[in-house]
């Protein structure tokens, strides 16, 4: 019995924070990665809206039930919510875990910050500097020498060209294009399908072709 309790305490645990759509997509990426990893962690959703439920075969617990020293990844698209929850998890003694689907591409000399999620068929090119808790979705591309600050979200099918700077907490919408060398300011939102041809100010919402 003592050995069993000890092994439970030593068991690797990954909390996926958020049991909604992106949470389940993040779970898909984790499970795909486990096919190449011999040691399987214990997986659990953390979601205060669904405690006690079972989603995709995983138990869901409330945020008050997490254990210190375990790994976590925030699987929620909203950057402000992601920032708040990440801060709470780190304050509780948890460690940010990066999830990269095995079918994502990461170029050489590229840095991914803690808590980053790259879904299948995303492509992050060479010499990219990524901040913490960045999300790059299905079929999205990030070109060479880009800077993605903390809590950036790149939604499915977006194309961020080379040497672009994406400010903290900004969102690039599905299918949007950001031309080379531009800056999208902190907290800005680029609408789905927009083509960004000039710098986007902090907090702005732009849409259309060209984006305005």
């Amino acid at each position: 019995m003592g050995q069993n309790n000890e092994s439970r305490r030593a068991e690797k645990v990954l909390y996926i924070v958020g049991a909604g759509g992106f949470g389940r997509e993040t779970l898909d990426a984790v499970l795909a990665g486990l096919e190449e990893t011999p040691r399987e962690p214990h997986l659990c959703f953390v979601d205060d809206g669904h405690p006690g439920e079972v989603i995709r075969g995983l138990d869901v617990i409330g945020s008050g039930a997490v254990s210190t020293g375990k790994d976590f990844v925030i699987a929620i698209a909203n950057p402000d919510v992601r920032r708040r929850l990440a801060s709470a998890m780190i304050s509780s003694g948890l460690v940010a875990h990066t999830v990269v689907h095995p079918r994502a591409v990461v170029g050489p000399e590229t840095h991914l910050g803690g808590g980053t999620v790259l879904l299948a068929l995303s492509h992050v090119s060479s010499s990219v500097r990524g901040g913490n808790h960045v999300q790059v979705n299905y079929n999205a591309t990030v070109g060479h020498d880009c800077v993605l600050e903390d809590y950036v979200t790149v939604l499915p099918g977006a194309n961020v060209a080379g040497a672009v700077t994406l400010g903290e907490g900004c969102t690039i919408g599905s299918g949007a294009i950001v031309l080379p060398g531009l800056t999208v300011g902190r907290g800005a939102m680029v609408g789905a399908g927009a083509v960004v041809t000039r710098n986007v100010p902090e907090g702005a919402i732009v849409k259309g072709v060209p984006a305005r």
Side-chain angles (χ1 to χ4, degrees), residues 8-28:
R8 285 176 180 273
R9 285 195 292 271
E11 182 181 36
K12 182 175 177 60
V13 174
L14 174 60
Y15 295 124
I16 300 174
V17 184
F22 192 76
R24 298 192 301 276
E25 291 174 337
T26 299
L27 173 62
D28 293 341

Side-chain angles (χ1 to χ4, degrees), residues 25 28-30 32-33 99-105 118-122 138:
E25 291 174 337
D28 293 341
V30 172
V99 174
V100 178
H101 193 287
R103 294 180 65 195
V105 175
L118 305 185
L119 294 186
L121 304 182
S122 60
Y138 299 109

Side-chain angles (χ1 to χ4, degrees), residues 81-161:
V81 174
R82 202 150 78 236
R83 183 186 295 108
R84 175 175 57 80
L85 291 175
S87 177
M89 291 287 147
I90 291 169
S91 296
S92 297
L94 281 81
V95 180
H97 178 81
T98 294
V99 174
V100 178
H101 193 287
R103 294 180 65 195
V105 175
V106 181
E109 299 183 343
T110 283
H111 170 78
L112 303 177
T116 293
V117 178
L118 305 185
L119 294 186
L121 304 182
S122 60
H123 189 135
V124 180
S125 190
S126 301
S127 305
V128 173
R129 289 190 290 118
N132 298 321
H133 307 288
V134 166
Q135 295 176 354
V136 182
N137 278 256
Y138 299 109
N139 298 303
T141 60
V142 176
H144 62 86
D145 300 296
C146 284
V147 176
L148 280 61
E149 297 182 357
D150 296 347
Y151 307 106
V152 161
T153 305
V154 183
L155 291 174
N159 183 338
V160 179

